[in-house]
PDB file of all heavy atoms in Angstrom:
ATOM      1  N   VAL A 103      91.225  72.055  34.747  1.00  0.00           N
ATOM      2  CA  VAL A 103      89.940  71.374  34.542  1.00  0.00           C
ATOM      3  C   VAL A 103      89.938  70.687  33.175  1.00  0.00           C
ATOM      4  O   VAL A 103      89.438  69.564  33.029  1.00  0.00           O
ATOM      5  CB  VAL A 103      88.770  72.378  34.664  1.00  0.00           C
ATOM      6  CG1 VAL A 103      87.460  71.771  34.194  1.00  0.00           C
ATOM      7  CG2 VAL A 103      88.650  72.894  36.094  1.00  0.00           C
ATOM      8  N   GLY A 104      90.510  71.356  32.172  1.00  0.00           N
ATOM      9  CA  GLY A 104      90.559  70.799  30.817  1.00  0.00           C
ATOM     10  C   GLY A 104      91.278  69.464  30.750  1.00  0.00           C
ATOM     11  O   GLY A 104      90.867  68.554  30.019  1.00  0.00           O
ATOM     12  N   ILE A 105      92.354  69.327  31.503  1.00  0.00           N
ATOM     13  CA  ILE A 105      93.087  68.051  31.552  1.00  0.00           C
ATOM     14  C   ILE A 105      92.144  66.934  32.005  1.00  0.00           C
ATOM     15  O   ILE A 105      92.107  65.854  31.412  1.00  0.00           O
ATOM     16  CB  ILE A 105      94.290  68.153  32.519  1.00  0.00           C
ATOM     17  CG1 ILE A 105      95.405  68.979  31.893  1.00  0.00           C
ATOM     18  CG2 ILE A 105      94.803  66.800  32.935  1.00  0.00           C
ATOM     19  CD1 ILE A 105      96.248  68.243  30.897  1.00  0.00           C
ATOM     20  N   PHE A 106      91.385  67.214  33.063  1.00  0.00           N
ATOM     21  CA  PHE A 106      90.457  66.196  33.590  1.00  0.00           C
ATOM     22  C   PHE A 106      89.316  65.924  32.620  1.00  0.00           C
ATOM     23  O   PHE A 106      88.934  64.772  32.410  1.00  0.00           O
ATOM     24  CB  PHE A 106      89.911  66.615  34.957  1.00  0.00           C
ATOM     25  CG  PHE A 106      90.909  66.486  36.056  1.00  0.00           C
ATOM     26  CD1 PHE A 106      91.507  67.608  36.608  1.00  0.00           C
ATOM     27  CD2 PHE A 106      91.284  65.231  36.539  1.00  0.00           C
ATOM     28  CE1 PHE A 106      92.438  67.493  37.622  1.00  0.00           C
ATOM     29  CE2 PHE A 106      92.215  65.107  37.551  1.00  0.00           C
ATOM     30  CZ  PHE A 106      92.798  66.239  38.095  1.00  0.00           C
ATOM     31  N   VAL A 107      88.770  66.980  32.030  1.00  0.00           N
ATOM     32  CA  VAL A 107      87.669  66.814  31.067  1.00  0.00           C
ATOM     33  C   VAL A 107      88.132  65.951  29.902  1.00  0.00           C
ATOM     34  O   VAL A 107      87.441  65.025  29.483  1.00  0.00           O
ATOM     35  CB  VAL A 107      87.137  68.182  30.575  1.00  0.00           C
ATOM     36  CG1 VAL A 107      86.204  68.019  29.390  1.00  0.00           C
ATOM     37  CG2 VAL A 107      86.433  68.926  31.706  1.00  0.00           C
ATOM     38  N   GLY A 108      89.320  66.260  29.369  1.00  0.00           N
ATOM     39  CA  GLY A 108      89.851  65.474  28.251  1.00  0.00           C
ATOM     40  C   GLY A 108      90.095  64.034  28.636  1.00  0.00           C
ATOM     41  O   GLY A 108      89.802  63.113  27.869  1.00  0.00           O
ATOM     42  N   ASN A 109      90.605  63.822  29.834  1.00  0.00           N
ATOM     43  CA  ASN A 109      90.901  62.476  30.290  1.00  0.00           C
ATOM     44  C   ASN A 109      89.621  61.670  30.512  1.00  0.00           C
ATOM     45  O   ASN A 109      89.587  60.469  30.249  1.00  0.00           O
ATOM     46  CB  ASN A 109      91.727  62.544  31.573  1.00  0.00           C
ATOM     47  CG  ASN A 109      92.315  61.218  31.948  1.00  0.00           C
ATOM     48  OD1 ASN A 109      91.847  60.583  32.875  1.00  0.00           O
ATOM     49  ND2 ASN A 109      93.328  60.793  31.211  1.00  0.00           N
ATOM     50  N   ILE A 110      88.577  62.330  30.958  1.00  0.00           N
ATOM     51  CA  ILE A 110      87.330  61.619  31.278  1.00  0.00           C
ATOM     52  C   ILE A 110      86.373  61.557  30.090  1.00  0.00           C
ATOM     53  O   ILE A 110      85.838  60.504  29.764  1.00  0.00           O
ATOM     54  CB  ILE A 110      86.627  62.290  32.483  1.00  0.00           C
ATOM     55  CG1 ILE A 110      87.500  62.154  33.725  1.00  0.00           C
ATOM     56  CG2 ILE A 110      85.246  61.684  32.727  1.00  0.00           C
ATOM     57  CD1 ILE A 110      87.060  63.012  34.891  1.00  0.00           C
ATOM     58  N   PHE A 111      86.150  62.689  29.435  1.00  0.00           N
ATOM     59  CA  PHE A 111      85.088  62.771  28.423  1.00  0.00           C
ATOM     60  C   PHE A 111      85.575  62.778  26.986  1.00  0.00           C
ATOM     61  O   PHE A 111      84.771  62.683  26.070  1.00  0.00           O
ATOM     62  CB  PHE A 111      84.245  64.027  28.635  1.00  0.00           C
ATOM     63  CG  PHE A 111      83.505  64.033  29.933  1.00  0.00           C
ATOM     64  CD1 PHE A 111      83.914  64.860  30.960  1.00  0.00           C
ATOM     65  CD2 PHE A 111      82.417  63.208  30.134  1.00  0.00           C
ATOM     66  CE1 PHE A 111      83.238  64.874  32.167  1.00  0.00           C
ATOM     67  CE2 PHE A 111      81.739  63.213  31.337  1.00  0.00           C
ATOM     68  CZ  PHE A 111      82.150  64.043  32.355  1.00  0.00           C
ATOM     69  N   GLY A 112      86.853  62.967  26.773  1.00  0.00           N
ATOM     70  CA  GLY A 112      87.348  63.018  25.409  1.00  0.00           C
ATOM     71  C   GLY A 112      87.159  64.392  24.798  1.00  0.00           C
ATOM     72  O   GLY A 112      86.982  65.377  25.490  1.00  0.00           O
ATOM     73  N   SER A 113      87.170  64.463  23.491  1.00  0.00           N
ATOM     74  CA  SER A 113      87.157  65.749  22.784  1.00  0.00           C
ATOM     75  C   SER A 113      85.767  66.295  22.521  1.00  0.00           C
ATOM     76  O   SER A 113      85.605  67.246  21.768  1.00  0.00           O
ATOM     77  CB  SER A 113      87.920  65.614  21.465  1.00  0.00           C
ATOM     78  OG  SER A 113      87.306  64.641  20.661  1.00  0.00           O
ATOM     79  N   LYS A 114      84.765  65.745  23.150  1.00  0.00           N
ATOM     80  CA  LYS A 114      83.374  66.145  22.913  1.00  0.00           C
ATOM     81  C   LYS A 114      83.130  67.639  23.149  1.00  0.00           C
ATOM     82  O   LYS A 114      82.353  68.268  22.438  1.00  0.00           O
ATOM     83  CB  LYS A 114      82.460  65.314  23.819  1.00  0.00           C
ATOM     84  CG  LYS A 114      81.003  65.615  23.686  1.00  0.00           C
ATOM     85  CD  LYS A 114      80.187  64.720  24.605  1.00  0.00           C
ATOM     86  CE  LYS A 114      78.719  65.023  24.479  1.00  0.00           C
ATOM     87  NZ  LYS A 114      77.920  64.225  25.384  1.00  0.00           N
ATOM     88  N   TYR A 115      83.790  68.251  24.157  1.00  0.00           N
ATOM     89  CA  TYR A 115      83.486  69.628  24.544  1.00  0.00           C
ATOM     90  C   TYR A 115      84.460  70.662  23.988  1.00  0.00           C
ATOM     91  O   TYR A 115      84.269  71.853  24.200  1.00  0.00           O
ATOM     92  CB  TYR A 115      83.461  69.738  26.073  1.00  0.00           C
ATOM     93  CG  TYR A 115      82.389  68.870  26.674  1.00  0.00           C
ATOM     94  CD1 TYR A 115      82.714  67.717  27.363  1.00  0.00           C
ATOM     95  CD2 TYR A 115      81.049  69.190  26.528  1.00  0.00           C
ATOM     96  CE1 TYR A 115      81.736  66.900  27.902  1.00  0.00           C
ATOM     97  CE2 TYR A 115      80.060  68.386  27.056  1.00  0.00           C
ATOM     98  CZ  TYR A 115      80.413  67.252  27.742  1.00  0.00           C
ATOM     99  OH  TYR A 115      79.443  66.446  28.264  1.00  0.00           O
ATOM    100  N   LYS A 116      85.481  70.241  23.270  1.00  0.00           N
ATOM    101  CA  LYS A 116      86.501  71.156  22.791  1.00  0.00           C
ATOM    102  C   LYS A 116      85.919  72.255  21.907  1.00  0.00           C
ATOM    103  O   LYS A 116      86.123  73.445  22.149  1.00  0.00           O
ATOM    104  CB  LYS A 116      87.575  70.385  22.024  1.00  0.00           C
ATOM    105  CG  LYS A 116      88.651  71.256  21.435  1.00  0.00           C
ATOM    106  CD  LYS A 116      89.611  70.403  20.624  1.00  0.00           C
ATOM    107  CE  LYS A 116      90.625  71.231  19.923  1.00  0.00           C
ATOM    108  NZ  LYS A 116      90.098  72.039  18.849  1.00  0.00           N
ATOM    109  N   SER A 117      85.184  71.905  20.873  1.00  0.00           N
ATOM    110  CA  SER A 117      84.665  72.922  19.960  1.00  0.00           C
ATOM    111  C   SER A 117      83.596  73.784  20.619  1.00  0.00           C
ATOM    112  O   SER A 117      83.483  74.970  20.337  1.00  0.00           O
ATOM    113  CB  SER A 117      84.125  72.279  18.684  1.00  0.00           C
ATOM    114  OG  SER A 117      83.025  71.441  18.981  1.00  0.00           O
ATOM    115  N   LYS A 118      82.831  73.225  21.545  1.00  0.00           N
ATOM    116  CA  LYS A 118      81.814  74.015  22.254  1.00  0.00           C
ATOM    117  C   LYS A 118      82.474  75.078  23.127  1.00  0.00           C
ATOM    118  O   LYS A 118      81.971  76.199  23.243  1.00  0.00           O
ATOM    119  CB  LYS A 118      80.931  73.106  23.099  1.00  0.00           C
ATOM    120  CG  LYS A 118      80.016  72.222  22.253  1.00  0.00           C
ATOM    121  CD  LYS A 118      79.174  71.320  23.120  1.00  0.00           C
ATOM    122  CE  LYS A 118      78.202  70.547  22.277  1.00  0.00           C
ATOM    123  NZ  LYS A 118      78.503  69.177  22.078  1.00  0.00           N
ATOM    124  N   ALA A 119      83.599  74.759  23.732  1.00  0.00           N
ATOM    125  CA  ALA A 119      84.329  75.730  24.563  1.00  0.00           C
ATOM    126  C   ALA A 119      84.849  76.875  23.708  1.00  0.00           C
ATOM    127  O   ALA A 119      84.742  78.047  24.088  1.00  0.00           O
ATOM    128  CB  ALA A 119      85.474  75.040  25.299  1.00  0.00           C
ATOM    129  N   GLU A 120      85.420  76.553  22.553  1.00  0.00           N
ATOM    130  CA  GLU A 120      85.920  77.601  21.665  1.00  0.00           C
ATOM    131  C   GLU A 120      84.786  78.476  21.150  1.00  0.00           C
ATOM    132  O   GLU A 120      84.916  79.697  21.079  1.00  0.00           O
ATOM    133  CB  GLU A 120      86.679  76.987  20.485  1.00  0.00           C
ATOM    134  CG  GLU A 120      88.049  76.484  20.846  1.00  0.00           C
ATOM    135  CD  GLU A 120      88.793  75.907  19.659  1.00  0.00           C
ATOM    136  OE1 GLU A 120      88.156  75.375  18.733  1.00  0.00           O
ATOM    137  OE2 GLU A 120      90.022  75.993  19.675  1.00  0.00           O
ATOM    138  N   LEU A 121      83.666  77.863  20.804  1.00  0.00           N
ATOM    139  CA  LEU A 121      82.504  78.619  20.323  1.00  0.00           C
ATOM    140  C   LEU A 121      82.007  79.576  21.403  1.00  0.00           C
ATOM    141  O   LEU A 121      81.782  80.764  21.146  1.00  0.00           O
ATOM    142  CB  LEU A 121      81.384  77.657  19.906  1.00  0.00           C
ATOM    143  CG  LEU A 121      80.088  78.305  19.437  1.00  0.00           C
ATOM    144  CD1 LEU A 121      80.312  79.090  18.162  1.00  0.00           C
ATOM    145  CD2 LEU A 121      79.019  77.242  19.215  1.00  0.00           C
ATOM    146  N   ALA A 122      81.854  79.099  22.616  1.00  0.00           N
ATOM    147  CA  ALA A 122      81.381  79.945  23.722  1.00  0.00           C
ATOM    148  C   ALA A 122      82.358  81.090  23.977  1.00  0.00           C
ATOM    149  O   ALA A 122      81.935  82.244  24.169  1.00  0.00           O
ATOM    150  CB  ALA A 122      81.210  79.108  24.984  1.00  0.00           C
ATOM    151  N   GLY A 123      83.647  80.813  23.962  1.00  0.00           N
ATOM    152  CA  GLY A 123      84.648  81.856  24.165  1.00  0.00           C
ATOM    153  C   GLY A 123      84.575  82.932  23.096  1.00  0.00           C
ATOM    154  O   GLY A 123      84.655  84.129  23.392  1.00  0.00           O
ATOM    155  N   GLY A 124      84.408  82.533  21.868  1.00  0.00           N
ATOM    156  CA  GLY A 124      84.301  83.495  20.762  1.00  0.00           C
ATOM    157  C   GLY A 124      83.086  84.389  20.887  1.00  0.00           C
ATOM    158  O   GLY A 124      83.155  85.607  20.692  1.00  0.00           O
ATOM    159  N   VAL A 125      81.952  83.800  21.226  1.00  0.00           N
ATOM    160  CA  VAL A 125      80.716  84.575  21.384  1.00  0.00           C
ATOM    161  C   VAL A 125      80.861  85.590  22.523  1.00  0.00           C
ATOM    162  O   VAL A 125      80.477  86.756  22.392  1.00  0.00           O
ATOM    163  CB  VAL A 125      79.503  83.640  21.619  1.00  0.00           C
ATOM    164  CG1 VAL A 125      78.272  84.424  22.044  1.00  0.00           C
ATOM    165  CG2 VAL A 125      79.215  82.832  20.353  1.00  0.00           C
ATOM    166  N   VAL A 126      81.446  85.170  23.638  1.00  0.00           N
ATOM    167  CA  VAL A 126      81.624  86.075  24.783  1.00  0.00           C
ATOM    168  C   VAL A 126      82.517  87.255  24.394  1.00  0.00           C
ATOM    169  O   VAL A 126      82.198  88.413  24.715  1.00  0.00           O
ATOM    170  CB  VAL A 126      82.202  85.317  26.002  1.00  0.00           C
ATOM    171  CG1 VAL A 126      82.682  86.284  27.078  1.00  0.00           C
ATOM    172  CG2 VAL A 126      81.158  84.378  26.577  1.00  0.00           C
ATOM    173  N   LEU A 127      83.616  87.016  23.687  1.00  0.00           N
ATOM    174  CA  LEU A 127      84.499  88.119  23.296  1.00  0.00           C
ATOM    175  C   LEU A 127      83.790  89.104  22.374  1.00  0.00           C
ATOM    176  O   LEU A 127      83.928  90.329  22.531  1.00  0.00           O
ATOM    177  CB  LEU A 127      85.764  87.584  22.626  1.00  0.00           C
ATOM    178  CG  LEU A 127      86.776  86.925  23.542  1.00  0.00           C
ATOM    179  CD1 LEU A 127      87.961  86.404  22.742  1.00  0.00           C
ATOM    180  CD2 LEU A 127      87.254  87.883  24.614  1.00  0.00           C
ATOM    181  N   ILE A 128      83.029  88.615  21.424  1.00  0.00           N
ATOM    182  CA  ILE A 128      82.293  89.507  20.521  1.00  0.00           C
ATOM    183  C   ILE A 128      81.273  90.335  21.302  1.00  0.00           C
ATOM    184  O   ILE A 128      81.154  91.553  21.104  1.00  0.00           O
ATOM    185  CB  ILE A 128      81.603  88.703  19.392  1.00  0.00           C
ATOM    186  CG1 ILE A 128      82.672  88.154  18.442  1.00  0.00           C
ATOM    187  CG2 ILE A 128      80.615  89.575  18.636  1.00  0.00           C
ATOM    188  CD1 ILE A 128      82.153  87.159  17.424  1.00  0.00           C
ATOM    189  N   LEU A 129      80.556  89.718  22.226  1.00  0.00           N
ATOM    190  CA  LEU A 129      79.560  90.446  23.013  1.00  0.00           C
ATOM    191  C   LEU A 129      80.206  91.511  23.903  1.00  0.00           C
ATOM    192  O   LEU A 129      79.663  92.616  24.044  1.00  0.00           O
ATOM    193  CB  LEU A 129      78.727  89.472  23.850  1.00  0.00           C
ATOM    194  CG  LEU A 129      77.781  88.568  23.064  1.00  0.00           C
ATOM    195  CD1 LEU A 129      77.096  87.563  23.990  1.00  0.00           C
ATOM    196  CD2 LEU A 129      76.750  89.395  22.309  1.00  0.00           C
ATOM    197  N   ILE A 130      81.356  91.212  24.485  1.00  0.00           N
ATOM    198  CA  ILE A 130      82.035  92.216  25.311  1.00  0.00           C
ATOM    199  C   ILE A 130      82.535  93.365  24.433  1.00  0.00           C
ATOM    200  O   ILE A 130      82.426  94.535  24.811  1.00  0.00           O
ATOM    201  CB  ILE A 130      83.171  91.579  26.129  1.00  0.00           C
ATOM    202  CG1 ILE A 130      82.563  90.695  27.232  1.00  0.00           C
ATOM    203  CG2 ILE A 130      84.067  92.649  26.754  1.00  0.00           C
ATOM    204  CD1 ILE A 130      83.561  89.875  28.004  1.00  0.00           C
ATOM    205  N   GLY A 131      83.055  93.064  23.264  1.00  0.00           N
ATOM    206  CA  GLY A 131      83.479  94.121  22.340  1.00  0.00           C
ATOM    207  C   GLY A 131      82.309  95.011  21.944  1.00  0.00           C
ATOM    208  O   GLY A 131      82.425  96.243  21.910  1.00  0.00           O
ATOM    209  N   LEU A 132      81.172  94.413  21.677  1.00  0.00           N
ATOM    210  CA  LEU A 132      79.964  95.168  21.339  1.00  0.00           C
ATOM    211  C   LEU A 132      79.521  96.029  22.517  1.00  0.00           C
ATOM    212  O   LEU A 132      79.140  97.195  22.347  1.00  0.00           O
ATOM    213  CB  LEU A 132      78.852  94.191  20.923  1.00  0.00           C
ATOM    214  CG  LEU A 132      77.576  94.814  20.386  1.00  0.00           C
ATOM    215  CD1 LEU A 132      77.854  95.654  19.151  1.00  0.00           C
ATOM    216  CD2 LEU A 132      76.570  93.725  20.057  1.00  0.00           C
ATOM    217  N   LYS A 133      79.605  95.491  23.719  1.00  0.00           N
ATOM    218  CA  LYS A 133      79.238  96.247  24.926  1.00  0.00           C
ATOM    219  C   LYS A 133      80.132  97.472  25.081  1.00  0.00           C
ATOM    220  O   LYS A 133      79.653  98.571  25.368  1.00  0.00           O
ATOM    221  CB  LYS A 133      79.342  95.353  26.160  1.00  0.00           C
ATOM    222  CG  LYS A 133      79.059  96.061  27.479  1.00  0.00           C
ATOM    223  CD  LYS A 133      79.284  95.119  28.660  1.00  0.00           C
ATOM    224  CE  LYS A 133      79.095  95.817  29.968  1.00  0.00           C
ATOM    225  NZ  LYS A 133      80.300  96.405  30.510  1.00  0.00           N
ATOM    226  N   ILE A 134      81.438  97.312  24.882  1.00  0.00           N
ATOM    227  CA  ILE A 134      82.382  98.440  24.978  1.00  0.00           C
ATOM    228  C   ILE A 134      82.000  99.521  23.971  1.00  0.00           C
ATOM    229  O   ILE A 134      81.936 100.711  24.302  1.00  0.00           O
ATOM    230  CB  ILE A 134      83.829  97.961  24.746  1.00  0.00           C
ATOM    231  CG1 ILE A 134      84.304  97.106  25.922  1.00  0.00           C
ATOM    232  CG2 ILE A 134      84.772  99.145  24.512  1.00  0.00           C
ATOM    233  CD1 ILE A 134      85.595  96.348  25.645  1.00  0.00           C
ATOM    234  N   LEU A 135      81.740  99.125  22.747  1.00  0.00           N
ATOM    235  CA  LEU A 135      81.390 100.077  21.697  1.00  0.00           C
ATOM    236  C   LEU A 135      80.080 100.798  22.033  1.00  0.00           C
ATOM    237  O   LEU A 135      79.996 102.025  21.961  1.00  0.00           O
ATOM    238  CB  LEU A 135      81.284  99.360  20.353  1.00  0.00           C
ATOM    239  CG  LEU A 135      80.894 100.239  19.166  1.00  0.00           C
ATOM    240  CD1 LEU A 135      81.967 101.290  18.903  1.00  0.00           C
ATOM    241  CD2 LEU A 135      80.672  99.383  17.931  1.00  0.00           C
ATOM    242  N   LEU A 136      79.054 100.055  22.400  1.00  0.00           N
ATOM    243  CA  LEU A 136      77.748 100.655  22.696  1.00  0.00           C
ATOM    244  C   LEU A 136      77.803 101.562  23.919  1.00  0.00           C
ATOM    245  O   LEU A 136      77.132 102.598  23.954  1.00  0.00           O
ATOM    246  CB  LEU A 136      76.690  99.561  22.862  1.00  0.00           C
ATOM    247  CG  LEU A 136      76.370  98.758  21.600  1.00  0.00           C
ATOM    248  CD1 LEU A 136      75.388  97.638  21.900  1.00  0.00           C
ATOM    249  CD2 LEU A 136      75.861  99.662  20.481  1.00  0.00           C
ATOM    250  N   GLU A 137      78.599 101.193  24.920  1.00  0.00           N
ATOM    251  CA  GLU A 137      78.766 102.074  26.080  1.00  0.00           C
ATOM    252  C   GLU A 137      79.416 103.387  25.680  1.00  0.00           C
ATOM    253  O   GLU A 137      78.982 104.465  26.093  1.00  0.00           O
ATOM    254  CB  GLU A 137      79.617 101.400  27.158  1.00  0.00           C
ATOM    255  CG  GLU A 137      78.883 100.401  28.003  1.00  0.00           C
ATOM    256  CD  GLU A 137      79.771  99.727  29.032  1.00  0.00           C
ATOM    257  OE1 GLU A 137      81.009  99.751  28.914  1.00  0.00           O
ATOM    258  OE2 GLU A 137      79.209  99.162  29.970  1.00  0.00           O
ATOM    259  N   HIS A 138      80.451 103.321  24.864  1.00  0.00           N
ATOM    260  CA  HIS A 138      81.162 104.530  24.459  1.00  0.00           C
ATOM    261  C   HIS A 138      80.278 105.425  23.590  1.00  0.00           C
ATOM    262  O   HIS A 138      80.357 106.643  23.667  1.00  0.00           O
ATOM    263  CB  HIS A 138      82.448 104.184  23.707  1.00  0.00           C
ATOM    264  CG  HIS A 138      83.282 105.385  23.424  1.00  0.00           C
ATOM    265  ND1 HIS A 138      84.092 105.954  24.385  1.00  0.00           N
ATOM    266  CD2 HIS A 138      83.394 106.175  22.314  1.00  0.00           C
ATOM    267  CE1 HIS A 138      84.690 107.014  23.868  1.00  0.00           C
ATOM    268  NE2 HIS A 138      84.289 107.154  22.625  1.00  0.00           N
ATOM    269  N   LEU A 139      79.439 104.817  22.776  1.00  0.00           N
ATOM    270  CA  LEU A 139      78.550 105.588  21.926  1.00  0.00           C
ATOM    271  C   LEU A 139      77.325 106.110  22.668  1.00  0.00           C
ATOM    272  O   LEU A 139      76.514 106.846  22.126  1.00  0.00           O
ATOM    273  CB  LEU A 139      78.101 104.734  20.714  1.00  0.00           C
ATOM    274  CG  LEU A 139      79.215 104.310  19.753  1.00  0.00           C
ATOM    275  CD1 LEU A 139      78.683 103.367  18.683  1.00  0.00           C
ATOM    276  CD2 LEU A 139      79.872 105.537  19.110  1.00  0.00           C
ATOM    277  N   GLY A 140      77.187 105.692  23.939  1.00  0.00           N
ATOM    278  CA  GLY A 140      76.081 106.164  24.758  1.00  0.00           C
ATOM    279  C   GLY A 140      74.771 105.439  24.534  1.00  0.00           C
ATOM    280  O   GLY A 140      73.728 105.871  25.025  1.00  0.00           O
ATOM    281  N   VAL A 141      74.803 104.325  23.832  1.00  0.00           N
ATOM    282  CA  VAL A 141      73.591 103.558  23.557  1.00  0.00           C
ATOM    283  C   VAL A 141      73.148 102.776  24.796  1.00  0.00           C
ATOM    284  O   VAL A 141      71.957 102.680  25.075  1.00  0.00           O
ATOM    285  CB  VAL A 141      73.805 102.596  22.363  1.00  0.00           C
ATOM    286  CG1 VAL A 141      72.599 101.715  22.131  1.00  0.00           C
ATOM    287  CG2 VAL A 141      74.163 103.394  21.111  1.00  0.00           C
ATOM    288  N   ILE A 142      74.108 102.253  25.548  1.00  0.00           N
ATOM    289  CA  ILE A 142      73.808 101.537  26.787  1.00  0.00           C
ATOM    290  C   ILE A 142      74.713 102.076  27.892  1.00  0.00           C
ATOM    291  O   ILE A 142      75.736 102.690  27.617  1.00  0.00           O
ATOM    292  CB  ILE A 142      74.012 100.008  26.653  1.00  0.00           C
ATOM    293  CG1 ILE A 142      75.458  99.647  26.278  1.00  0.00           C
ATOM    294  CG2 ILE A 142      73.021  99.415  25.678  1.00  0.00           C
ATOM    295  CD1 ILE A 142      75.770  98.179  26.318  1.00  0.00           C
ATOM    296  N   ASN A 143      74.322 101.818  29.127  1.00  0.00           N
ATOM    297  CA  ASN A 143      75.134 102.260  30.257  1.00  0.00           C
ATOM    298  C   ASN A 143      75.081 101.206  31.354  1.00  0.00           C
ATOM    299  O   ASN A 143      74.079 101.079  32.041  1.00  0.00           O
ATOM    300  CB  ASN A 143      74.626 103.597  30.782  1.00  0.00           C
ATOM    301  CG  ASN A 143      75.569 104.194  31.803  1.00  0.00           C
ATOM    302  OD1 ASN A 143      76.704 103.763  31.932  1.00  0.00           O
ATOM    303  ND2 ASN A 143      75.079 105.186  32.520  1.00  0.00           N
ATOM    304  N   PHE A 144      76.159 100.419  31.462  1.00  0.00           N
ATOM    305  CA  PHE A 144      76.245  99.389  32.511  1.00  0.00           C
ATOM    306  C   PHE A 144      77.096  99.867  33.645  1.00  0.00           C
ATOM    307  O   PHE A 144      78.055 100.470  33.561  1.00  0.00           O
ATOM    308  CB  PHE A 144      76.827  98.070  31.960  1.00  0.00           C
ATOM    309  CG  PHE A 144      75.850  97.266  31.181  1.00  0.00           C
ATOM    310  CD1 PHE A 144      75.960  97.176  29.809  1.00  0.00           C
ATOM    311  CD2 PHE A 144      74.808  96.613  31.802  1.00  0.00           C
ATOM    312  CE1 PHE A 144      75.069  96.424  29.082  1.00  0.00           C
ATOM    313  CE2 PHE A 144      73.917  95.855  31.095  1.00  0.00           C
ATOM    314  CZ  PHE A 144      74.046  95.762  29.723  1.00  0.00           C
TER     315      PHE A 144
END
């Protein structure tokens, strides 16, 4: 999909994709920690 996005739209979405990926990883890490500590239970 990235090949097509780059070919059609240019570099407009590159930094937004990296930002979203970083936020998701931090939130999943926090979820793992909070689950283990018993603060949340998913």
Side-chain angles (χ1 to χ4, degrees):
V103 169
I105 286 281
F106 286 106
V107 169
N109 192 254
I110 296 168
F111 296 107
S113 60
K114 180 179 180 182
Y115 298 108
K116 178 184 175 291
S117 64
K118 290 179 175 106
E120 284 181 330
L121 178 65
V125 169
V126 167
L127 287 178
I128 290 170
L129 291 175
I130 289 173
L132 187 60
K133 177 184 176 269
I134 290 167
L135 179 64
L136 294 176
E137 281 178 342
H138 187 79
L139 296 174
V141 176
I142 60 172
N143 189 14
F144 282 108

